[in-house]
């Protein structure tokens, strides 16, 4: 059986309170609905952090299990979806933490350029971006994602957590076991490096 | 292709000015403040110095514009409309979740 109901459509568990009650009673229908509504978003979150489809799927399953085990403790102060998102990020981070440390020295050539007078070297910025003229939205997305993947792992993770998952500096520091200062440095370097990698796109040159 | 960065002599003069005049910071110092500036963490005095540098430095202005555009592109890249739609659910996942809920490990 496959469940493909639109959220907000007719049927049981459309209301968050209903759904929550169903989940607390352990009803299979409620669990199916809960999974169907959230799994797409969770897969995306896990995949962009762990960069491996199988590992991402494991994260998602583990996140659902944790969520259901703790559903009685969920008090409805936050949105169910927000709560689940946080659990998924934590699962993905656990996978990441178990990986080996990655080399961090690859980012230097991608950092901003200065001359010997401490003056910035920066070509003029075009008034109007032409990236939109050259590439479709989907092509643009694909290109940007591929450039993000070129960032060294320790920078990429910080960029994704801060800019995409919107964790704050303290949360990222805690999740990765590094200082807040270190999070800021990595975030800034990651953005600078990504800017350099995207320069041809930003300036409307062929990628 | 080497991008054009403008005349060396002009940059030498600019560096001299930025290093020596009051209320001026170099581009390198500007770089160190950038994140705190964007996150609104600079005290008012420092913020004014930062804004002043932006007003006189074409390079840092353009750099900041490209930096912000990069952040926006990054956010948009992950904004996949397909992920929000309800998806087909593997039944074995539902079963695994249901089984894990069974109370032998609870409390
Ligand atoms: Zn400058």
């Amino acid at each position: 059986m496959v469940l493909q109901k639109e959220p907000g459509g007719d049927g049981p568990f459309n209301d968050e309170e209903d759904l929550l009650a169903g989940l607390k009673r352990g009803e299979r229908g409620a669990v199916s609905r809960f999974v169907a509504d959230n799994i797409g978003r969770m897969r995306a979150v896990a995949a962009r952090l762990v960069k491996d489809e199988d590992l991402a799927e494991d994260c998602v399953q583990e996140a659902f299990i944790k969520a259901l085990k703790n559903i009685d403790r969920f008090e409805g102060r936050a949105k169910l979806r927000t709560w689940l998102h946080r659990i998924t990020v934590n699962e993905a981070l656990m996978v990441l933490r178990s990986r080996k440390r990655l080399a961090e020295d690859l980012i230097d050539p991608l950092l901003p350029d200065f001359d010997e007078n401490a003056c910035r070297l920066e070509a003029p910025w075009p008034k109007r971006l032409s990236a939109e003229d050259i590439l479709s939205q989907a092509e643009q997305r694909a290109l940007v994602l591929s450039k993000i993947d070129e960032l060294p792992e320790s920078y990429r993770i910080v960029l994704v957590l801060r800019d995409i998952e919107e964790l704050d500096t303290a949360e990222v520091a805690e999740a990765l076991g590094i200082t807040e200062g270190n999070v800021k440095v990595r975030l800034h370097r990651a953005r600078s490096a990504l800017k350099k990698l995207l320069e041809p796109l930003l300036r409307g040159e062929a990628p | 292709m080497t991008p054009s960065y403008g005349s060396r002599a002009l940059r030498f003069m600019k560096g001299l000015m930025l290093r020596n005049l009051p209320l001026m910071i170099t581009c390198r110092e500007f770089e160190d403040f950038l994140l705190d500036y964007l996150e609104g963490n600079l005290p008012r005095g420092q913020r004014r110095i930062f804004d002043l540098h932006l007003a006189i430095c074409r390079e840092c202005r353009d750099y900041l514009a490209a930096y912000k555009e990069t952040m926006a592109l990054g956010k948009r890249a992950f904004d996949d409309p397909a992920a929000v739609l309800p998806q087909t659910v593997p039944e074995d996942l539902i079963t695994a979740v249901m089984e894990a809920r069974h109370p032998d490990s609870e409390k």
Side-chain angles (χ1 to χ4, degrees), chain A residues 5-176:
Chain A
K5 208 165 287 223
E6 298 255 322
D10 285 334
F13 312 123
N14 282 321
D15 175 79
E16 185 154 315
E17 258 174 57
D18 259 12
L19 180 66
L20 199 54
L23 291 175
K24 286 183 178 173
R25 287 193 301 268
E27 283 174 32
R28 194 177 173 100
V31 173
S32 289
R33 177 63 188 266
F34 183 57
V35 171
D37 284 354
N38 292 290
I39 195 167
R41 214 176 278 110
M42 288 165 67
R43 276 177 175 150
V45 170
R48 64 198 173 219
L49 284 166
V50 303
K51 303 263 77 178
D52 177 294
E53 232 174 85
D54 293 336
L55 284 175
E57 199 65 22
D58 291 349
C59 287
V60 169
Q61 175 160 337
E62 206 47 47
F64 275 121
I65 288 172
K66 288 230 166 90
L68 265 290
K69 273 192 174 157
N70 293 295
I71 199 78
D72 289 329
R73 258 177 271 165
F74 179 78
E75 287 157 13
R77 248 179 291 133
K79 279 255 167 226
L80 207 48
R81 185 199 290 170
T82 315
W83 183 61
L84 200 53
H85 174 254
R86 186 49 57 95
I87 297 176
T88 312
V89 168
N90 285 340
E91 283 305 316
L93 287 173
M94 266 172 36
V95 171
L96 289 175
R97 252 180 256 129
S98 67
R99 278 189 199 164
K100 266 193 233 146
R101 274 189 155 280
L102 286 127
E104 302 195 8
D105 53 349
L106 301 156
I107 204 161
D108 285 354
L110 295 172
L111 295 182
D113 301 305
F114 299 91
D115 71 3
E116 66 282 6
N117 308 301
C119 285
R120 187 184 296 281
L121 299 172
E122 180 80 9
W125 178 240
K127 289 226 158 43
R128 203 180 69 84
L129 291 181
S130 31
E132 272 83 8
D133 302 341
I134 300 173
L135 299 170
S136 71
Q137 288 288 331
E139 286 172 323
Q140 236 185 74
R141 262 213 308 272
L143 180 68
V144 174
L145 288 178
S146 76
K147 294 300 178 190
I148 290 176
D149 283 348
E150 283 179 33
L151 296 174
E153 183 80 348
S154 56
Y155 294 91
R156 191 184 66 79
I157 296 297
V158 172
L159 182 87
V160 171
L161 289 175
R162 273 292 321 262
D163 283 355
I164 316 300
E165 309 304 346
E166 296 181 337
L167 271 62
D168 66 31
T169 302
E171 289 170 322
V172 177
E174 210 204 312
L176 299 180

Side-chain angles (χ1 to χ4, degrees), chain A residues 120, chain B residues 14 18 25-28 30 53 57-61:
Chain A
R120 187 184 296 281
Chain B
K14 180 179 167 186
L18 294 177
I25 49 172
T26 64
C27 297
R28 266 194 194 281
F30 175 96
H53 184 88
C57 181
R58 195 278 302 160
E59 281 82 356
C60 284
R61 229 165 27 235

Side-chain angles (χ1 to χ4, degrees), chain A residues 178-195:
Chain A
I178 57 180
T179 64
E180 290 188 29
N182 206 329
V183 171
K184 287 185 181 183
V185 168
R186 286 197 208 177
L187 175 66
H188 178 57
R189 288 188 181 164
R191 288 173 178 166
S192 304
L194 183 60
K195 170 195 167 279

Side-chain angles (χ1 to χ4, degrees), chain B residues 5-57:
Chain B
Y5 291 137
S7 129
R8 276 181 81 91
L10 275 179
R11 263 190 279 118
F12 176 76
M13 294 302 296
K14 180 179 167 186
L16 214 56
M17 180 183 85
L18 294 177
R19 282 197 305 277
N20 294 300
L21 291 182
L23 297 181
M24 296 280 162
I25 49 172
T26 64
C27 297
R28 266 194 194 281
E29 288 163 331
F30 175 96
E31 178 78 12
D32 296 336
F33 281 119
L34 188 60
L35 199 63
D36 284 325
Y37 173 81
L38 286 173
E39 297 187 350
N41 292 334
L42 286 186
R44 199 131 56 104
Q46 282 186 38
R47 195 173 173 88
R48 215 176 296 150
I49 290 172
F50 195 95
D51 285 333
L52 182 65
H53 184 88
L54 265 185
I56 58 174
C57 181

